[in-house]
Amino acid sequence: MTSLVVNYDEDTAFLGQSGPYFWTTFFLLNALFVSTGFNGYKLDVVRNLSQEGCLNGWNYSKDIYQSTIVTEWDLVCDNQWKVPFASSTLFVGYLVGSLISGQLSDRFGRKKVVFMSLGVQCLSVLLQSFSHSWRMFCIMYLWVGASQISLYISAFVLGTEVLSKTMRVLFTTLGAFLFYCIGYMILPWIAYGIREWRTLLAVLSATPLMNIPLWWFIPESPRWLITQGRVKEAEAIVRHAASKNNIEAPPVIFKESEVRLINCHNNSINIYTYTMLDILKSKNLRCITLMCLLLWMAINIGYFGLSLNTSNLSGNPFVNCFLSATTEVPAYIVSTWLLKACPRRALLSLFLIIGGGVLLLIQFIPDTFHHVALALEMTGKFGFTMAFSIVYIYTAEIYPTVLRNIGMGMCSSAARVGSITAPYVIFLGTYNKVLPYILMGSLTIASSVVNFFLPETLHKDLPETVEQMQECQRWD
């Protein structure tokens, strides 16, 4: 087994930290995230809008929507369980996509998986709009979830690896999450003009097609190419970046990697392909991964649990959806500012404690203190949103290039397990009202302590190989 060892950040330092190439790539990659924000409001196509009692039949209200899958297939009364089940298939798709996309991206490249996911997302949403049964709708919803999370993770990793250190922080916080919110904020106004669920899905299926031309402008990750032994292709991308930034590139960019590559060919040694099993081989890697999985699961369970307790907003549902998306924007802006200079561990633990503290406290607020409860809920949502934006970049900086997409995929899968588990934790409230919030709050607080055992990544180069990761990540 042989890996190409190269200090990418050091070898490409001549490109600078910004410039036309980095800014163009930044906005092109972020454009991909807009379509991933279209899934949140689509859950409203499975809303139960009905109905007057089951005993004497039912009538559906058409004040807001002309039709949903509830009205399409009469998912009421004895069939009412099919409504939350349909929603859960999206999260199962997230789980499947998180596991598969990491393997595919590390094997075939970040760029290919990004655009393959884009195509699958477009096709699955289109087929979903032609669903002839509830079962077909659920199957296609699973594919929608798998392709959407695959697109998000692969594009996230691609941006992390292509952009400079300074631009990386901006991309992984304000960029990716903010453009996701832009999609989320645009969607309710599309839905406002299209009140019939089949037409709405058909229109939304066309939106990813606008990103297809970006294939010719977004580069493959030079870091990934180097790990595959394709140094010349990586150099070509870096030289193109230098040209766009009006910088003269040195005659040889990746000196050390070229020497190692020649040795590999001369000795007939194949470049090793990493899999999920490689994460389990090293004790250090196992411990780091287990702690990351706990963090992602705790954040997702906490956020989902807090959302279930959030006060129901009255008024127009389209405006409510828009406001729900905009409440996360301040958190992304603040996290971008803080991550430039603050240690990842301290920040993440701080906001986990805020979110977990809200879960523990909010259950004791009397119903008469509505404004206090609302203020706590918004504080908790702010804390969990901050935690999400921090844990994404933190995890990407922890794992080396050869395992980054696999690691991110596993962590994202843990988050989906959290979202699937959360409703069952909430169900414990039927036995004891405060038990779910004690469990979720305690888990979040515990994860904030576990977080301190992870290595700090502030101002450190991204590791390229497992060996580099093990060398730089100590229990400091």
Side-chain angles (χ1 to χ4, degrees), residues 159-365:
T160 301
E161 296 179 349
V162 169
L163 298 173
S164 64
K165 247 186 221 183
T166 303
M167 298 289 289
R168 183 194 310 152
V169 174
L170 186 65
F171 172 78
T172 52
T173 52
L174 187 60
F177 291 107
L178 183 59
F179 277 76
Y180 168 86
C181 271
I182 290 174
Y184 195 7
M185 289 186 285
I186 292 173
L187 182 57
W189 306 118
I190 299 176
Y192 179 80
I194 305 173
R195 307 295 183 95
E196 201 278 325
W197 74 273
R198 290 186 184 273
T199 307
L200 175 62
L201 293 183
V203 170
L204 292 177
S205 71
T207 55
L209 293 177
M210 295 185 291
N211 291 323
I212 297 299
L214 299 183
W215 169 271
W216 288 275
F217 301 97
I218 294 177
E220 179 57 272
S221 166
R223 296 175 188 268
W224 177 81
L225 289 170
I226 291 170
T227 65
Q228 304 301 302
R230 296 158 63 178
V231 180
K232 290 185 178 179
E233 294 177 54
E235 274 210 3
I237 292 173
V238 174
R239 292 187 185 282
H240 175 70
S243 174
K244 290 291 184 182
N245 284 351
N246 297 316
I247 296 172
E248 185 176 350
V252 178
I253 299 174
F254 304 114
K255 298 178 183 179
E256 186 179 357
S257 65
E258 286 186 330
V259 172
R260 294 294 301 274
L261 180 62
I262 293 171
N263 290 336
C264 282
H265 285 304
N266 289 342
N267 296 319
S268 299
I269 298 176
N270 294 323
I271 302 298
Y272 182 70
T273 301
Y274 288 86
T275 66
M276 202 177 296
L277 295 177
D278 289 287
I279 289 181
L280 305 176
K281 291 181 179 179
S282 161
K283 181 180 178 181
N284 190 34
L285 264 172
R286 284 197 303 271
C287 291
I288 289 173
T289 299
L290 286 174
M291 287 187 285
C292 287
L293 294 179
L294 176 62
L295 277 172
W296 283 65
M297 186 181 297
I299 293 172
N300 214 60
I301 289 177
Y303 184 87
F304 194 79
L306 190 63
S307 297
L308 289 176
N309 192 72
T310 301
S311 302
N312 292 322
L313 296 174
S314 59
N316 191 300
F318 305 103
V319 175
N320 292 344
C321 178
F322 177 79
L323 293 176
S324 177
T326 56
T327 54
E328 298 188 4
V329 174
Y332 299 141
I333 295 174
V334 173
S335 65
T336 302
W337 177 68
L338 290 176
L339 281 168
K340 289 181 179 180
C342 299
R344 276 65 165 131
R345 284 186 304 193
L347 275 182
L348 184 54
S349 291
L350 172 63
F351 290 107
L352 283 171
I353 291 171
I354 291 174
V358 167
L359 283 170
L360 292 174
L361 291 175
I362 200 166
Q363 58 192 301
F364 300 112
I365 304 298

Side-chain angles (χ1 to χ4, degrees), residues 437-454:
Y437 299 101
I438 291 176
L439 289 175
M440 291 185 294
S442 300
L443 177 62
T444 307
I445 298 295
S447 67
S448 71
V449 177
V450 170
N451 176 55
F452 276 106
F453 290 93
L454 286 170

Side-chain angles (χ1 to χ4, degrees), residues 30-162:
N30 278 318
L32 297 171
F33 292 114
V34 175
S35 65
T36 64
F38 288 165
N39 279 328
Y41 190 83
K42 282 196 294 185
L43 287 172
D44 262 14
V45 302
V46 302
R47 281 183 62 185
N48 188 340
L49 302 177
S50 47
Q51 89 254 11
E52 297 178 5
C54 295
L55 186 61
N56 299 316
W58 50 82
N59 293 314
Y60 296 107
S61 169
K62 293 188 177 182
D63 293 340
I64 301 175
Y65 305 109
Q66 290 301 306
S67 69
T68 68
I69 69 167
V70 173
T71 63
E72 184 82 18
W73 296 301
D74 291 326
L75 304 184
V76 294
C77 301
D78 291 342
N79 286 324
Q80 193 169 5
W81 64 271
K82 293 183 178 181
V83 177
F85 185 90
S87 301
S88 69
T89 56
L90 179 70
F91 296 109
V92 174
Y94 285 162
L95 175 62
V96 174
S98 299
L99 289 171
I100 296 177
S101 65
Q103 297 280 351
L104 293 176
S105 182
D106 282 338
R107 185 175 182 85
F108 300 107
R110 284 61 164 125
K111 181 179 175 179
K112 288 181 180 178
V113 174
V114 165
F115 285 92
M116 179 189 72
S117 302
L118 205 62
V120 174
Q121 182 184 20
C122 175
L123 182 61
S124 56
V125 175
L126 180 62
L127 291 176
Q128 193 180 29
S129 71
F130 289 102
S131 298
H132 56 75
S133 66
W134 168 80
R135 185 177 288 107
M136 179 180 174
F137 181 91
C138 290
I139 292 173
M140 298 318 303
Y141 217 13
L142 187 147
W143 280 96
V144 171
S147 58
Q148 189 266 337
I149 196 65
S150 177
L151 168 62
Y152 192 95
I153 293 176
S154 299
F156 189 91
V157 171
L158 178 57
T160 301
E161 296 179 349
V162 169

